[in-house]
Amino acid sequence: MSLLGGAVLLAPAACSDRSGTAVSGPSTVSGAGPSTTDPATGPVTTAGVPYTESELQVTGSTGRVRYDVLIPQIEGGDQAVTAEFNESMRAALQDQIDGSGTDAFTLSSQEHSVAHIGEHVISGLLVTSWNADPPGAHPTPIVATVVVNSDTAAPITLGDLFPDLPAGLQALSDSSARLLPETVAGPDFDRSGIEPTEANFANWLATPAGMEIHFNDYQVGPHAIGLVTVTVPWDDLADVIDPELAPVVSS
């Protein structure tokens, strides 16, 4: 089954299960039993402000969807930035819980990380494993990303990054076409997956090396190749990126 996960780059909103139990605070709140928070790694310092990477276990059931997922979180530093990142990550998971129409399924952890803490930006990655209930042939990974400007405590969207959004998306499409043949997708990658649309490039992370694009399962090739990632150098986007955001996302 092909699912398209989107990056959550909106203002934070408290996420809840269908019973109305909010998932918030430094420990997991579950709709089905007790919960805990486990630390991941030590402090990372950015611009003199320490952020500590942590993780949050979110468990529960809506009746149609059962979930037991670890999501990346941060602690310390600017509390407005911390709140924005953490709530956006919870909202990313909630979008996945709410997805897939009327299908019954389970979500479990596959990959989660605070992928990069720069001087001006924080990026987070969440990959969950979707499995039909009752189980189908194989689970499907779903990708979500969060990018937060740590100077303003605001999310960074594709529309923010590219003042001329169609031109920015075209630049991403052109760069992806050049980079994908060198990945497991090979030269015969599915070109529909890199058409210049926001949905195709929704899952991205800001890194010093460039804009790291995470393609969903089936997006640029068959399930057998796994998830595919390319990094578009910032220099490739110099003509289309907002000049004020360029030093932020590349930090």
Side-chain angles (χ1 to χ4, degrees), residues 73-247:
Q73 301 278 266
I74 58 174
E75 298 173 355
D78 184 324
Q79 291 306 297
V81 173
T82 299
E84 174 67 41
F85 181 88
N86 291 347
E87 291 298 332
S88 291
M89 271 297 171
R90 293 173 188 140
L93 175 60
Q94 190 64 44
D95 278 354
Q96 295 181 356
I97 293 169
D98 292 340
S100 300
T102 60
D103 293 343
F105 62 92
T106 63
L107 282 179
S108 57
S109 292
Q110 179 163 321
E111 181 182 355
H112 64 286
S113 68
V114 180
H116 176 63
I117 298 180
E119 186 175 356
H120 306 287
V121 70
I122 303 176
S123 296
L125 172 68
L126 174 66
V127 183
T128 59
S129 181
W130 185 102
N131 204 359
D133 189 7
H138 55 71
T140 299
I142 311 176
V143 184
T145 58
V146 167
V147 181
V148 174
N149 185 331
S150 57
D151 293 336
T152 63
I156 302 175
T157 69
L158 291 172
D160 296 328
L161 200 60
F162 303 120
D164 183 343
L165 182 57
L169 294 171
Q170 187 62 58
L172 291 177
S173 180
D174 293 343
S175 292
S176 296
R178 175 176 56 84
L179 295 167
L180 278 168
E182 303 302 318
T183 71
V184 292
D188 296 325
F189 66 89
D190 185 350
R191 291 185 176 271
S192 67
I194 63 164
E195 290 179 357
T197 66
E198 287 187 76
N200 277 343
F201 296 99
N203 296 317
W204 64 277
L205 300 173
T207 77
M211 191 172 179
E212 188 177 287
I213 309 297
H214 288 253
F215 295 107
N216 270 286
D217 198 28
Y218 296 103
Q219 186 174 344
V220 294
H223 174 80
I225 68 173
L227 296 177
V228 179
T229 302
V230 299
T231 299
V232 178
W234 295 119
D235 286 348
D236 287 9
L237 304 173
D239 293 339
V240 291
I241 197 170
D242 185 324
E244 293 187 1
L245 280 178

